[in-house]
Amino acid sequence: MTTVRTRIAPSPTGDPHVGTAYIALFNLCFARQHGGQFILRIEDTDQVRSTRESEQQIFDALRWLGIEWDEGPDVGGPYGPYRQSERSELYQRYARQLVEQGDAFYCFCTPEELDQMRAEQMARGETPRYDGRGLQLSAEEVARRLAAGEPHVIRMKVPSEGVCVVQDMLRGEVEIPWDRMDMQVLIKTDGLPTYFLANVVDDHLMGITHVLRGEEWLPSAPKLLKLYEYFGWQAPVNCYMPLLRNPDKSKLSKRKNPTSITFYQRMGYLPEAMLNYLGRMGWSMPDEREKFSLAEMIEHFDIQRVSLGGPIFDVEKLSWLNGQWLRELPLERFAAELQKWAFNPDYLMRVAGLAQSRVETFSELAPLAGMFFMGGVHPEARLFEHKKLSPEQVRQALQLILWKLEALRQWNKEGITAVIQAVAEFLGCKLRDLMPLIFPAISGQASSVSVLDAMEVLGADLSRFRLRQAIELLGGVSKKENKEWEKLLPHIGS
Ligand code: GLU
């Protein structure tokens, strides 16, 4: 019997998402339950958006939660490399094989040509899709244009009619019509593969037997299955996990809920409780108990007990469960965890560095630096009254800063300052005009230790969270404002 092998395949393009941990957890439990292996693969073929920092954050966040992998970019293994950017030649080779077999073809369309094609289709009331024009080119023409070095992509052929039957462990057979599938690009103009090709090639070469992934991938499943067929490979068993949702049932998004694992770490949730809560997403123990450890989850795991009604990620419920965990910890462990959280030497060193020049006694530390040990800081609204800016401008300034900080790649004082500076310039004022808004938002008080330094120490998650809370306190941002202000973003420098 083949060994069960599952994997999590995150794209390192942002903060480590709770959805990644949720899918990782279920893949881990499934593998362990069958005595199999669990692999971590980095899908970083999007050169523009992928970063090594984000990759490292994913490793750290998953490990913090207690999720360990048997093979991966950082631990090695017999099927490496486990980072797709290090496997590009492989994908090239497999794409060429498909072209030779007649299952894929070169396409030399420019972006303008594709735009025009889509515009014409829409004008005729058709669904925009690639019309297969690359297939009309003769072999000689293709060879000539390739030799001339013309930019090109490789696309896969897809049937134009009929249905594809997708086997899903949870839903059984799902029928998806082929006419919904586009002739998917497999190799982009930069020579790198798209998700579809790289995912299939890697899952096959890495011996993955079962793929548990988010249900957002179900609609495109036929393209993956077709690729397995073209290559003559057996597709893994598929399981499409229900998506996490906000309490209002919409898809979990950072606009409504913090979605970064590191946020929950900084807020002082216990990793075991967090993992326990993720295990409760669409799944339950046979005896319905709420509190259980990873080992208990693995022991009782049964994928068929995943229910398809969208699981709700509710921070209040998570906090309740976290409270259960904290209260039941032996006191020594509780103290040790607390120390690990924010009373560890590294963090204390950074806080001390900001506080030392401002205190006469140690006992002044708590009022001065309490904000480093808090989640929300609950400032009073009157602290945001501004000499020059109207209340609307205040909200706008905070929102613009928040958005810009959400996009900031390197979280450090220079970057943070540059963002606030750029927003100030855009609004026709100075950095020092905006600082009186940042102070209360971040520290909860009118003054504190240097707030730009404090933001660096607090980290991206807590800083953004506090800015978001300040905006809410001041009445939030209406849908209309949201739309209008978002349009301003490209005009703000930095
Ligand atoms: N890289 C994809 C993602 O980020 C992987 C999806 C899959 O599991 O196939 O979600």
Side-chain angles (χ1 to χ4, degrees):
M1 230 181 80
T2 46
T3 322
V4 167
R5 284 171 61 85
T6 64
R7 53 45 166 198
I8 181 76
S11 298
T13 53
D15 298 334
H17 200 277
V18 287
T20 304
Y22 155 68
I23 300 291
L25 171 64
F26 280 78
N27 275 286
L28 173 70
C29 287
F30 189 85
R32 292 284 176 264
Q33 176 207 10
H34 291 93
Q37 288 128 15
F38 170 62
I39 287 104
L40 187 147
R41 178 173 75 229
I42 290 290
E43 300 210 328
D44 56 350
T45 55
D46 182 339
Q47 269 181 309
V48 182
R49 295 174 59 228
S50 303
T51 65
R52 277 296 167 101
E53 291 81 44
S54 163
E55 178 185 303
Q56 190 58 47
Q57 283 182 341
I58 293 173
F59 296 161
D60 294 345
L62 292 179
R63 285 227 170 81
W64 173 70
L65 284 170
I67 294 178
E68 294 283 345
W69 43 99
D70 304 303
E71 298 166 29
D74 56 339
V75 295
Y79 297 86
Y82 293 90
R83 205 178 269 120
Q84 290 187 328
S85 58
E86 293 164 17
R87 301 167 67 83
S88 4
E89 264 176 44
L90 208 67
Y91 310 121
Q92 290 273 356
R93 183 147 37 92
Y94 281 103
R96 275 199 300 272
Q97 179 189 329
L98 291 182
V99 174
E100 280 155 25
Q101 288 174 195
D103 295 321
F105 57 96
Y106 291 99
C107 164
F108 298 87
C109 291
T110 59
E112 296 74 38
E113 196 178 340
L114 292 173
D115 284 346
Q116 195 193 341
M117 178 189 81
R118 291 195 194 99
E120 286 167 11
Q121 288 168 333
M122 296 218 291
R124 290 196 297 268
E126 298 167 11
T127 325
R129 67 207 310 262
Y130 182 73
D131 63 4
R133 57 183 68 186
L135 283 165
Q136 316 301 330
L137 304 178
S138 68
E140 294 72 39
E141 181 167 4
V142 169
R144 183 183 56 75
R145 295 173 79 164
L146 285 177
E150 275 189 43
H152 59 271
V153 301
I154 295 180
R155 289 178 184 270
M156 70 184 280
K157 286 189 191 169
V158 289
S160 50
E161 50 192 33
V163 292
C164 174
V165 181
V166 182
Q167 295 286 348
D168 173 22
M169 284 169 100
L170 301 175
R171 295 166 187 77
E173 292 188 348
V174 181
E175 294 192 352
I176 303 178
W178 276 113
D179 63 10
R180 273 194 222 154
M181 296 304 130
D182 219 344
M183 295 184 200
Q184 178 64 48
V185 172
L186 299 178
I187 297 279
K188 300 174 283 183
T189 23
D190 62 6
L192 289 178
T194 56
Y195 159 77
F196 298 91
L197 179 66
N199 196 270
V200 165
V201 167
D202 286 349
D203 280 345
H204 174 70
L205 295 181
M206 295 181 179
I208 302 302
T209 58
H210 295 75
V211 172
L212 283 66
R213 56 161 80 84
E215 69 188 334
E216 75 267 35
W217 298 100
L218 184 53
S220 61
K223 293 192 255 192
L224 297 184
L225 293 176
K226 202 52 159 182
L227 286 174
Y228 281 102
E229 193 187 307
Y230 287 158
F231 285 120
W233 297 337
Q234 186 179 354
V237 179
N238 284 303
C239 175
Y240 291 90
M241 295 291 293
L243 280 189
L244 301 186
R245 299 188 176 273
N246 295 309
D248 67 3
K249 298 253 172 168
S250 57
K251 184 177 158 214
L252 189 66
S253 71
K254 65 176 172 203
R255 279 196 191 279
K256 301 199 174 142
N257 258 324
T259 54
S260 171
I261 302 165
T262 46
F263 168 80
Y264 294 93
Q265 184 177 12
R266 289 295 282 116
M267 283 298 277
Y269 289 87
L270 199 67
E272 287 93 331
M274 187 83 200
L275 205 59
N276 180 175
Y277 190 61
L278 291 174
R280 297 275 299 116
M281 295 291 99
W283 192 82
S284 57
M285 281 293 229
D287 62 3
E288 301 285 326
R289 89 186 91 134
E290 301 249 19
K291 183 172 176 258
F292 50 83
S293 67
L294 175 60
E296 289 167 318
M297 180 165 174
I298 292 170
E299 190 187 332
H300 297 279
F301 193 68
D302 176 1
I303 190 74
Q304 294 304 334
R305 264 208 322 281
V306 168
S307 75
L308 288 173
I312 288 175
F313 187 87
D314 181 341
V315 182
E316 273 177 39
K317 285 238 175 73
L318 167 63
S319 298
W320 172 84
L321 188 61
N322 200 60
Q324 303 286 313
W325 273 89
L326 288 188
R327 285 190 287 274
E328 288 174 28
L329 286 180
L331 182 58
E332 265 159 34
R333 172 90 207 280
F334 178 84
E337 289 296 332
L338 195 58
Q339 198 171 19
K340 234 199 269 171
W341 170 62
F343 297 92
N344 59 69
D346 278 354
Y347 192 64
L348 279 185
M349 214 22 216
R350 304 187 74 189
V351 174
L354 297 182
Q356 190 180 13
S357 62
R358 294 176 171 252
V359 293
E360 289 175 342
T361 59
F362 292 140
S363 54
E364 283 168 28
L365 190 78
L368 182 73
M371 64 153 148
F372 291 104
F373 307 94
M374 294 165 80
V377 285
H378 313 292
E380 287 175 46
R382 62 171 180 81
L383 294 178
F384 294 91
E385 284 163 17
H386 199 280
K387 283 197 287 283
K388 292 188 192 157
L389 303 176
S390 69
E392 187 193 329
Q393 285 172 315
V394 166
R395 280 187 301 114
Q396 188 189 35
L398 288 170
Q399 183 62 59
L400 293 175
I401 291 170
L402 174 59
W403 278 332
K404 281 290 198 189
L405 289 179
E406 280 173 352
L408 186 64
R409 285 270 177 98
Q410 300 269 7
W411 190 264
N412 55 35
K413 188 182 174 184
E414 291 68 45
I416 299 163
T417 313
V419 161
I420 303 173
Q421 177 88 47
V423 172
E425 265 166 39
F426 176 78
L427 297 174
C429 58
K430 298 235 151 45
L431 178 73
R432 64 163 188 276
D433 294 319
L434 296 187
M435 290 318 288
L437 304 176
I438 307 293
F439 261 106
I442 299 297
S443 71
Q445 300 162 358
S447 70
S448 72
V449 301
S450 152
V451 79
L452 293 168
D453 287 299
M455 287 172 84
E456 178 177 307
V457 172
L458 282 165
D461 292 303
L462 284 186
S463 301
R464 293 173 193 154
F465 174 67
R466 291 180 190 179
L467 284 169
R468 219 169 286 129
Q469 284 207 319
I471 296 166
E472 286 306 313
L473 172 77
L474 301 175
V477 172
S478 71
K479 275 217 174 92
K480 190 166 155 247
E481 287 169 335
N482 199 80
K483 230 169 132 188
E484 283 171 8
W485 295 352
E486 250 177 356
K487 287 195 205 125
L488 305 174
L489 285 174
H491 306 291
I492 304 175
S494 110

